[in-house]
Amino acid sequence: MARPRQFDEEQVLRAVRDQFWDAGYAATSLEDLMRVSGLGKGSLYGAFGDKHQLFLRALRSYTDTSGGYLREMLTSTPRALDALRAFVMAPVSDPGGAAARRGCLMANSTCELATTDPDVLAEARRTYEATTALVAECVVRAQGEGDLPADADPIETARALLAAQQGLVFMGRTGLGIDQLTATAGTLADRFLPDA
Amino acid sequence: MARPRQFDEEQVLRAVRDQFWDAGYAATSLEDLMRVSGLGKGSLYGAFGDKHQLFLRALRSYTDTSGGYLREMLTSTPRALDALRAFVMAPVSDPGGAAARRGCLMANSTCELATTDPDVLAEARRTYEATTALVAECVVRAQGEGDLPADADPIETARALLAAQQGLVFMGRTGLGIDQLTATAGTLADRFLPDA
DNA sequence: GCAATTATTGACCGAGCGGTCCACCAAGCC
DNA sequence: GGCTTGGTGGACCGCTCGGTCAATAATTGC
């Protein structure tokens, strides 16, 4: 056999993901990636391929992880309406508002690359369709629990909730204070989720 | 006197703005800017300074222009509620959905640069505060016309409308079809603007 | 312990970047 | 018609980029 790897793939992907998250794709250089991962160029290329492939791996890892958290949260919250409210308020759930300022890696990547990078666009479509489906499922549950009107289209409602949430994420990136952001999140949630 | 300029500053700014709009800041090279403007490096630097300054000029020109259109639309529409609905639906007002896919230059720039570029962050804050104020003014008018509840906070309502609109802009960039996007825009508008 | 295999490291590469500089040119002034 | 002034175009610069490669190190099978 041969020499084993001296690094943990998951750990490296997390470090790389954070770097892309904070600086974006174009503004992140290979030197940055070497610094945050502690690896040399050869190791990075040997293990993940070039910068673009590495980015896609990190992005996929991010969407898989947050998709898992979302599914868990939506299904494990006893009352579906509470889960939906938590979904909308998620961008401001971080106490200091740091998460709000950082935004969402998938959203940032979509803005930066979706028009020019087909792989990123595909990942964006995949992610937002999956998210819409998860939320729609939760909407159906809320309807079954009598908390949402039964005649509303679940998919359409889910899309509107997702748009509202992503709008919040975006407002966070404009430097809007966490207090105003939280208030706006509440206003949005109240409009869609009566009596939560 | 000396040799006069052989180009129209506004025209160059428009061409440059479109380039940044389509490709983003980092992905636009000076060669791109020379190509779309038809100018040499010397002329660009002489007239606008370096790439960053030129970008800020183009961005400011964009925000001023669209801010002007918005003010015009909000104040000249007879019924304020219709104006607010038009505001929310603006991202899908383009027939083919091309505008929806392109997004908003200010929003794209915010996502790409706000965390690392103080000038862009400042411009983002300025723009969104100004927009909020304009929309809030329109909300007050709608309240006066009896179309919106008088007890709603205009600023807070304006922020929620803006968040909804920006969420729509973002969904457009994920490749969501113009039909679904239009439907979602309608759903959002209906929630905030009853009976429009 | 030697061979085979794979990870690691850092020197190295060509290309493209943003930015500078200078020779040239057009227009007004005397 | 020179002279001055400022616009123009392109050659040029140093740098950093993403990416390659060969020498070396670490591990297992025999």
Side-chain angles (χ1 to χ4, degrees), chain A residues 1-4 28-31 41-42 45 50-51:
Chain A
M1 282 288 287
R3 178 174 174 176
T28 292
S29 70
L30 275 186
E31 204 184 333
K41 282 189 184 180
Y45 274 80
D50 65 13
K51 183 188 176 186

Side-chain angles (χ1 to χ4, degrees), chain B residues 1 3 28-31 41 45 50-51:
Chain B
M1 281 290 286
R3 179 176 175 178
T28 293
S29 70
L30 276 186
E31 204 184 332
K41 282 190 183 180
Y45 274 80
D50 64 12
K51 183 187 176 186

Side-chain angles (χ1 to χ4, degrees), chain A residues 10 18 48 53 61 64 70 72 77 87 136 144 146 153-154 159 164 175 185:
Chain A
E10 287 301 316
D18 285 344
F48 302 102
Q53 287 176 272
S61 150
D64 284 350
L70 178 62
E72 163 67 17
T77 303
F87 170 74
D153 177 12
R159 282 214 189 95

Side-chain angles (χ1 to χ4, degrees), chain B residues 3 11 31 44 55 57 80 98 107 129 156 163 165-166 187:
Chain B
R3 179 176 175 178
Q11 193 175 327
E31 204 184 332
L44 278 177
F55 173 72
R57 280 286 301 271
E129 271 169 27
E156 193 47 49
Q165 189 214 43
Q166 292 299 314
T187 304

Side-chain angles (χ1 to χ4, degrees), chain B residues 155-173:
Chain B
I155 295 279
E156 193 47 49
T157 305
R159 281 214 191 96
L161 286 170
L162 180 54
Q165 189 214 43
Q166 292 299 314
L168 266 180
V169 168
F170 175 77
M171 296 302 287
R173 299 217 81 203

Side-chain angles (χ1 to χ4, degrees), chain B residues 24-149:
Chain B
Y25 178 77
T28 293
S29 70
L30 276 186
E31 204 184 332
D32 294 327
L33 297 174
M34 291 165 61
R35 180 173 38 80
V36 301
S37 69
L39 269 58
K41 282 190 183 180
S43 300
L44 278 177
Y45 274 80
F48 303 102
D50 64 12
K51 183 187 176 186
H52 186 244
Q53 288 176 269
L54 174 54
F55 173 72
L56 291 176
R57 280 286 301 271
L59 185 59
R60 176 63 77 111
S61 149
Y62 171 83
T63 55
D64 285 351
T65 303
S66 22
Y69 285 148
L70 178 62
R71 159 166 270 132
E72 163 68 16
M73 190 276 282
L74 289 181
T75 55
S76 74
T77 303
R79 191 177 172 190
L81 192 68
D82 292 333
L84 292 175
R85 187 175 185 91
F87 170 74
V88 172
M89 306 285 284
V92 294
S93 65
D94 180 42
R101 239 167 289 118
R102 198 184 202 195
C104 157
L105 175 60
M106 185 72 250
N108 298 351
S109 305
T110 300
C111 285
E112 182 182 355
L113 302 168
T115 47
T116 55
D117 187 332
D119 296 321
V120 172
L121 179 59
E123 184 70 19
R125 297 190 68 127
R126 195 186 70 90
T127 301
Y128 290 108
E129 271 169 27
T131 305
T132 302
L134 280 176
V135 173
E137 206 175 303
C138 196
V139 166
V140 170
R141 186 156 73 91
Q143 289 175 324
E145 293 168 0
D147 285 329
L148 282 183

